[in-house]
Amino acid sequence: MLVLRCAACKKKLWKYDKVGPGEVLRCHKDRIIRIYASTKENSKIKCPCGKEVGIDKGTYIKMIGKAFTCSGTKRNK
Ligand SMILES: [Zn+2]
């Protein structure tokens, strides 16, 4: 399980069940376990601080690479 945080303010965004190795490029909504903080503005997913972290694509969120950090069960940390 990964916890995604805003890169700008370090606030927890959501908890995500990552399947397979590699970078988190998109977050499938049915694998988002818990949402701590995020706001949606049109199709943009933002941290409450205003930082844009992803784009809503319907069934998944396309993540913006430099806008978030991950921690949790990810190898090669
Ligand atoms: Zn933030």
Side-chain angles (χ1 to χ4, degrees):
M1 224 65 85
L2 292 175
V3 173
L4 276 70
R5 291 172 188 264
C6 171
C9 70
K10 309 299 181 199
K11 193 184 284 285
K12 284 184 189 175
L13 297 170
W14 57 77
K15 189 183 274 188
Y16 185 59
D17 183 14
K18 175 86 167 73
V19 177
E23 306 260 321
V24 178
L25 301 175
R26 41 177 78 173
C27 282
H28 295 272
K29 287 179 181 174
D30 56 1
R31 287 197 233 127
I32 294 173
I33 307 303
R34 182 175 168 187
I35 294 173
Y36 299 105
S38 73
T39 58
K40 193 179 161 186
E41 198 180 295
N42 301 317
S43 62
K44 294 175 181 176
I45 308 295
K46 291 184 173 184
C47 173
C49 78
K51 179 85 172 173
E52 195 181 326
V53 296
I55 299 156
D56 193 323
K57 292 286 187 180
T59 58
Y60 66 90
I61 298 164
K62 185 171 184 280
M63 299 305 293
I64 296 168
K66 294 282 192 290
F68 69 99
T69 60
C70 292
S71 62
T73 49
K74 192 181 181 186
R75 278 183 284 172
N76 306 322
K77 191 170 179 260

